């Protein structure tokens, strides 16, 4: 199996998985994200530690294409357990990868399974799908976490 097939399989597995697609019992913050160009719609829930410095848990609900759902699931896996600052940096790295602003392989390896979405940058119609959850997390950090 070549690397491209492994990446496709990873995307399919994440898009079908329910591991990260549910409501959290006690979310600290909730943020809605919507992609009007294709109708993808998610609600991201984040539970932070008491001191609001660690992302204890993330989950999402909503509807969308396989790319948006896989991307949201990958993001949840990647950011869970990270400090808020590290999670924000990883989100910015992912966004930079999709926008082709970050190409350093060593930097991109930090994205783990989310690296499977790197070639989405070659499909302009799918870029917003891949970025939806990550922009929603970024909005949550900027609008909620920093202001509370």
């Amino acid at each position: 199996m070549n690397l491209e097939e492994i990446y496709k399989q990873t995307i399919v597995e994440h898009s079908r998985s329910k591991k990260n697609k549910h409501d959290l019992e006690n979310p600290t913050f909730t943020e809605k994200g919507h992609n009007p160009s294709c109708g993808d719609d998610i609600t991201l829930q984040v539970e932070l530690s008491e001191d609001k410095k660690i992302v204890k848990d993330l989950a999402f609900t909503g509807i969308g294409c396989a790319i948006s759902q896989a991307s949201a699931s990958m993001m949840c896996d990647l950011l869970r357990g990270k400090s808020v600052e590290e999670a924000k940096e990883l989100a910015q790295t992912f966004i930079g990868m999709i926008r082709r602003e970050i190409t350093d392989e060593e930097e991109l390896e930090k994205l783990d399974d989310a690296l499977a979405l790197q070639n989405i940058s070659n499909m302009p119609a799918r870029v917003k799908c891949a970025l939806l959850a990550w922009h929603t997390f970024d909005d949550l950090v900027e609008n909620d976490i920093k202001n509370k």
Side-chain angles (χ1 to χ4, degrees):
M1 188 178 295
N2 69 31
L3 192 57
E4 188 173 320
E5 289 172 3
I6 292 170
Y7 282 171
K8 284 180 186 177
Q9 183 177 348
T10 300
I11 292 168
V12 168
E13 286 172 6
H14 272 279
S15 71
R16 293 180 179 166
S17 174
K18 303 296 181 208
K19 175 185 170 194
N20 296 312
K21 191 172 183 178
H22 57 84
D23 286 314
L24 293 180
E25 269 189 49
N26 298 304
T28 310
F29 296 107
T30 300
E31 188 80 25
K32 293 190 181 288
H34 180 69
N35 179 358
S37 63
C38 69
D40 294 341
D41 193 22
I42 68 163
T43 299
L44 178 65
Q45 296 180 328
V46 177
E47 180 184 355
L48 299 178
S49 59
E50 285 186 33
D51 63 3
K52 295 197 172 40
K53 292 184 180 183
I54 303 294
V55 178
K56 285 179 64 176
D57 202 3
L58 297 96
F60 72 99
T61 56
I63 58 169
C65 68
I67 298 296
S68 72
Q69 301 295 286
S71 186
S73 178
M74 291 172 182
M75 183 190 75
C76 290
D77 281 349
L78 183 65
L79 303 186
R80 187 176 291 116
K82 303 287 192 290
S83 71
V84 170
E85 284 305 311
E86 186 179 6
K88 183 177 177 184
E89 287 173 18
L90 287 166
Q92 290 303 311
T93 299
F94 181 84
I95 292 166
M97 175 187 74
I98 297 297
R99 291 180 176 164
R100 297 183 186 168
E101 297 167 351
I102 298 175
T103 58
D104 179 63
E105 290 300 319
E106 190 173 313
E107 182 72 15
L108 295 178
E109 284 179 13
K110 296 175 187 175
L111 295 175
D112 201 30
D113 278 356
L115 187 58
L117 295 167
Q118 184 175 20
N119 287 331
I120 294 299
S121 63
N122 298 325
M123 299 176 245
R126 304 311 251 165
V127 166
K128 288 182 181 178
C129 303
L131 291 176
L132 178 61
W134 302 83
H135 278 306
T136 303
F137 178 79
D138 204 39
D139 289 346
L140 186 143
V141 169
E142 293 302 315
N143 298 329
D144 297 325
I145 296 173
K146 281 192 172 182
N147 295 324
K148 304 240 169 159

